[in-house]
Amino acid sequence: MALDELLDEHEQGERVRNWLKQNSFGLIGGLALGLALIWGGRWWLQEAHDKRVALGESYSSLVATLESGDTAKASEQAATLAGTAYAPLVALDLAKAQVAAGKRDEAIATLRAAGSEEPALAAVIEHRLARLLIDAGKSDEALALLADAGDPAALETRGDARYAKGETDQARQDYEQALRKLDPAAPQRRLLELKLTQTGGSPETTGTES
């Protein structure tokens, strides 16, 4: 091998060693940061998984409590799930059990405090609350909840609230609108037709929306 080639290799080796000396801190820091990110990511994923499992177990425990009929204990358990993804389901389950136990006012309070960022679930909560309010003689509050009713069930309930207030004509309009939106084969159609007849309407003259 020629002397100039040896010198070139030696010079290149020195350059590499000098570069490593100058940048060793950055290399070590970058490696440490990379390892920390990997470890931190794994820790975060495990932590998130553990929290999901814990929440699922808490919800299952609450359901078991409801099945035993202990609504007071279930209310305490529900508080630990407030603000979680389970909160709306907990409220619906708890309110149902409270109604079954003859605790309508407690069920109303449970649903009043409930909420959901999911529109469909929020609509279910409002609808169930409205029905309880009608039963409690608070039809005006039920109507306020159902002011923008658009699906058949909500329209029917709004009609019930108006009928309870003696607003027969308005109730008939809600029942007619609900019937137009309802599937002809829907099992609840017969009851809705009876309500319409009770308000002076006729199912035969109420068409179905296409």
Side-chain angles (χ1 to χ4, degrees):
M1 180 177 293
L3 179 60
D4 55 345
E5 291 181 358
L6 289 174
L7 290 174
D8 286 344
E9 289 185 4
H10 177 73
E11 183 180 355
Q12 290 172 3
E14 284 298 317
R15 288 179 179 176
V16 170
R17 281 190 287 273
N18 289 333
W19 185 88
L20 288 173
K21 288 179 182 179
Q22 294 171 4
N23 297 277
S24 59
F25 180 79
L27 288 173
I28 294 173
L31 179 61
L33 178 60
L35 292 174
L37 289 173
I38 292 173
W39 181 85
R42 289 179 178 175
W43 176 86
W44 184 86
L45 289 173
Q46 184 62 46
E47 185 74 5
H49 172 73
D50 291 344
K51 286 182 178 179
R52 287 195 298 270
V53 171
L55 285 175
E57 291 176 347
S58 296
Y59 178 68
S60 296
S61 177
L62 181 142
V63 170
T65 301
L66 288 175
E67 290 176 349
S68 73
D70 191 346
T71 57
K73 181 180 178 181
S75 295
E76 296 176 359
Q77 291 176 302
T80 66
L81 290 165
T84 70
Y86 284 95
L89 295 177
V90 168
L92 290 169
D93 290 341
L94 178 57
K96 181 179 179 180
Q98 288 169 330
V99 170
K103 301 176 180 179
R104 183 193 61 203
D105 291 343
E106 289 185 17
I108 289 175
T110 295
L111 293 178
R112 281 190 192 280
S116 175
E117 296 180 357
E118 172 58 43
L121 198 51
V124 172
I125 292 173
E126 288 185 354
H127 181 239
R128 293 193 184 180
L129 175 56
R131 297 212 66 85
L132 290 178
L133 289 170
I134 295 170
D135 186 61
K138 300 178 180 180
S139 296
D140 284 331
E141 293 183 43
L143 286 173
L145 283 174
L146 301 171
D148 298 322
D151 63 277
L155 286 167
E156 179 181 357
T157 300
R158 191 171 71 183
D160 292 344
R162 286 175 167 164
Y163 185 76
K165 290 187 62 181
E167 300 175 355
T168 306
D169 291 341
Q170 293 92 328
R172 181 173 63 251
Q173 292 172 7
D174 282 334
Y175 293 149
E176 288 175 343
Q177 192 175 353
L179 270 176
R180 292 190 187 99
K181 292 176 175 290
L182 195 63
D183 190 302
Q188 64 269 38
R189 189 176 182 87
R190 178 56 181 161
L191 177 59
L192 184 53
E193 289 176 344
L194 289 174
K195 290 180 180 180
L196 177 59
T197 302
Q198 191 176 28
T199 57
S202 174
E204 288 75 18
T205 60
T206 303
T208 301
E209 289 188 0
S210 58

